[in-house]
Amino acid sequence: MKVKWNKFKTIEQVICHNLNIKNIHELELFNSKEYFIKGLKEAKELIMSSLDRPIYVLTDYDCDGICCAIILDRIFKRLKHKNYHIEIPDRHNGYGLSEIYLENISEKSLVITADNGITANTVINKLKNNMNCKVLVLDHHLMSSDGLPNADVIVDPNAVDGSTFNGYCGTGLCYKLAQLLFPNNDLYYDLIIACIATIADAVPLTEENRVIVKKGLKCINEYKNNPVTILLHYLGICHADEDTIGYFIAPIINATGRIDAPQKAYQFFMYGYKELLYELCKINNNRKIMVKEAKEFADLIIIDNRLFKSYPIVIPYDKSYGVKEGIIGIIAGQLADEYKRPIIVLTEVDNGVYKGSARSYNDINIKELLDNCKDDMITYGGHIGAAGLSVNKSKLDDFISNIQSAFSKMDVTITSDIKYDLKLNVDEINEIMEKLELYSPYGEGNPNPVFYGDIDLISSKGSHYKKMGSANEHIKLNAKDLNLIGFNLADKYENEDYPKHISVIGNLRYNYYRNSRTNQMNIIDYEVKKSDDNYSHLTNLLNHKLKRMKKEMRRKNEQQ
C-alpha cells in the first residue's frame, strides 16, 4: 500500500480546500445567500398562464428524472390541474425528447421536459410549428453544438448564463420552481425528494445543493410518515445520512430504470403504495446479482486476454454474456476503482451495435480521450469523469486499438498512491467525529476527508475481528472508540493471519444501529503495521521466554 499525504493539518483546511472557500465561516453564507436562477420566474408565469391547456411532462428514467416527475406531479396536484400526464420513459426508448413521443402529445399542450430537452432542438421545433405547443425546458445538461432549442422558456444554468449557481440537478430545479410557485407551503417532502436526487446525480454538494441536502436529511430524520421513511424502516435503518441515500435509497430507485420499469419507483415514492415496497427491493437485489456476475465475467476477460497492461481496459460483452445495458456503468466504475485506470465497458445490443459506458480514474479526462476516436463511434457524449458511447461491431477492433493508442499519447501519470488528507490520532477520535459531523454532508465537490494512521486492535466479545456479509466477504475490526469496516477485505485479512496492529487509510462516519451511534472507519486499504511498537512487543515476548528458560535451567541445576 502506497500512501501520499496532501499536507493538510486540520479538518477545516480540508473543507475549505474542497469547497474553494477562504474561511470555514463561509459555510454559513450558503444558508443565507439569495440564489437567482435565470428563467425560473418565466417558467412560473408560463405554467400559470397554461392551466387551460393539456400539460405533458417528459422526464428521464434515472433517479434524477424519476424525482423530477414526483415534484412536478405534486406541483400540478397543488394547482388542482387535472389534465396532465407524466411520462417516464423506459430505457429501451432512449434518453430525452424524441419523435416517438409526439403521438402522445395533444395539440396546443404545454410540454415540459425535466432533466432533458436542452438538446432536443428538432423535436421542439415540430412541437411549436406543427402542433402549436408551448415548451418549457427544465434541464441541467449542456446544449448541443446547434445551440439552444426554440423553447418558450429555458431553465438550464449550464446552458444559459445569468444564474447565481449552476450545479443543480434536474430535481433541484423542479424544487426551486415549487418554492417559487408555493412560497407559503410546507414543501418538506419535495425537499426530501430533491435531497435524494442531488446526492444520486453526483452534482457538487456546494452552495445551495449543500443547503438542500443538509436540510433534506434533517427532514428525513424528523418526519416519519412518508414513503422514504417507510422504506428506511423496511430496510432496518434508524437514521439517514448522505451515505444512506447514496448506498441504499438511490440504488433502489435507479435499479428500476436500469433493469425494470422506472414507473414503479415513481409510484411508490409519489403515492406510498406499500405493495411496491418488496418489489423495489427485489429489483435492486436482482440488479446486484447481475452486476456481480457481469463483474466476474469482466475479471475473466481481463485475465484470459492479459489486459493488465492495457490503458484503458476495454471490456466488450457480446450477446452470449447477456449483460444488460443498464448495469454497465456500475461495472465500469467498479473496475476503474479496482484496476486504477480508465475503463470502457461495452455490451452488444441489437443490430450489431455495442452500447458502452466509460469511467475515468485520477482526473483523466475520459471525454477528451473519446474525442480522439470520434470516427470509430456512432454516438458519444459525457464529461471528464464519465461518458456514454455506441460502436458498430464492425468497428470494435479499430475503436479498441485507436483508443489505447490515443491514451498512450496523452500527458497523464498513472499512480497507485492513495492520497490522504489528515493523519489520524485515535485518542482524539470523538473530537474528530464531532467536527466531521459539523461540516457534513459529504459527496461530490466536498469529499469526506481521508485519514491515515496506525491502529491497535482490541478484543470485543472474545475477538478483535468479525466476518460480515452473505459470503463472509467483509470484515469488522475493533479498536478503542472505533469500529473499522473493510468491504471485500476479509480474504486479505485472513491471508495475513488476522493482524492486530495495522496501518489503515479510510473515511470516518457515524454508524447508527438500533438508536445507538458508534464511530466507524470505512477502510480504503490497510497493511500490517511495521513499527517499533511491534518490534518492542516481540522483543519483550522473547525476553520473557528467555528469562523463564534461564529460571528453569537454574532450578534444574540446583536439583542436581
Side-chain angles (χ1 to χ4, degrees), residues 17-290:
H17 175 267
N18 290 340
L19 291 175
N20 194 28
I21 56 179
K22 294 179 180 179
N23 189 296
I24 198 67
H25 299 296
E26 290 183 40
L27 282 178
E28 294 302 317
L29 297 178
F30 293 161
N31 295 317
S32 58
K33 190 173 178 180
E34 290 290 331
Y35 288 92
F36 173 77
I37 300 174
K38 182 77 170 178
L40 200 64
K41 179 183 176 184
E42 291 77 8
K44 171 189 173 182
E45 293 170 351
L46 178 59
I47 289 173
M48 297 306 294
S49 65
S50 301
L51 295 179
D52 58 340
R53 294 171 176 260
I55 296 177
Y56 177 89
V57 176
L58 180 74
T59 69
D60 190 14
Y61 44 72
D62 69 353
C63 183
D64 189 20
I66 293 167
C67 290
C68 285
I70 293 167
I71 290 184
L72 289 171
D73 195 338
R74 290 171 64 84
I75 283 175
F76 295 124
K77 279 182 168 52
R78 287 191 187 98
L79 291 172
K80 294 181 171 50
H81 185 72
K82 296 182 179 179
N83 190 10
Y84 71 94
H85 175 71
I86 307 282
E87 184 94 51
I88 307 173
D90 290 323
R91 182 176 285 270
H92 68 265
N93 286 333
Y95 166 79
L97 181 64
S98 62
E99 294 194 11
I100 63 172
Y101 299 109
L102 292 179
E103 63 184 31
N104 300 336
I105 302 172
S106 304
E107 289 190 0
K108 298 183 179 181
S109 292
L110 168 61
V111 177
I112 301 175
T113 64
D115 196 29
N116 73 96
I118 197 64
T119 60
N121 299 37
T122 301
V123 180
I124 288 175
N125 281 336
K126 289 185 177 180
L127 286 169
K128 290 183 64 61
N129 298 333
N130 300 346
M131 301 176 64
N132 198 21
C133 290
K134 299 283 187 181
V135 179
L136 166 60
V137 172
L138 290 166
D139 204 352
H140 66 116
H141 297 96
L142 298 173
M143 63 180 169
S144 70
S145 57
D146 296 328
L148 293 171
N150 186 31
D152 294 88
V153 176
I154 297 174
V155 181
D156 186 339
N158 284 306
V160 180
D161 293 334
S163 298
T164 309
F165 173 60
N166 68 346
Y168 302 98
C169 64
T171 309
L173 294 172
C174 292
Y175 171 66
K176 295 300 294 180
L177 177 61
Q179 280 188 315
L180 194 62
L181 283 162
F182 312 106
N184 299 318
N185 286 46
D186 184 359
L187 303 177
Y188 88 89
Y189 191 65
D190 304 76
L191 176 59
I192 287 174
I193 295 300
C195 164
I196 291 171
T198 300
I199 294 171
D201 219 45
V203 289
L205 295 191
T206 60
E207 299 280 352
E208 193 165 26
N209 281 349
R210 175 184 169 81
V211 179
I212 288 171
V213 170
K214 199 166 185 80
K215 290 183 177 180
L217 290 171
K218 188 171 184 287
C219 286
I220 292 173
N221 291 313
E222 289 183 356
Y223 292 86
K224 298 302 180 184
N225 191 23
N226 61 73
V228 174
T229 53
I230 290 169
L231 175 58
L232 289 173
H233 180 74
Y234 180 79
L235 296 172
I237 296 171
C238 63
H239 182 90
D241 60 16
E242 59 271 34
D243 287 341
T244 309
I245 305 303
Y247 294 122
F248 294 97
I249 304 299
I252 286 173
I253 298 173
N254 271 323
T256 61
R258 292 184 188 280
I259 65 171
D260 203 279
Q263 295 80 10
K264 292 178 181 178
Y266 157 73
Q267 288 168 355
F268 173 75
F269 286 94
M270 178 69 200
Y271 301 107
Y273 295 146
K274 291 186 179 180
E275 59 268 25
L276 287 171
L277 189 59
Y278 173 76
E279 188 171 359
L280 291 182
C281 294
K282 183 179 179 181
I283 292 168
N284 191 45
N285 288 333
N286 289 339
R287 187 269 307 169
K288 290 178 184 178
I289 294 169
M290 289 179 183

Side-chain angles (χ1 to χ4, degrees), residues 10 93 286 325 451 541:
T10 68
N93 286 333
N286 289 339
E325 180 190 345
F451 288 84
L541 183 62

Side-chain angles (χ1 to χ4, degrees), residues 3-25:
V3 297
K4 186 176 181 181
W5 184 25
N6 284 331
K7 304 289 185 178
F8 295 116
K9 298 290 182 66
T10 68
I11 293 173
E12 286 79 6
Q13 287 178 350
V14 178
I15 302 302
C16 288
H17 175 267
N18 290 340
L19 291 175
N20 194 28
I21 56 179
K22 294 179 180 179
N23 189 296
I24 198 67
H25 299 296

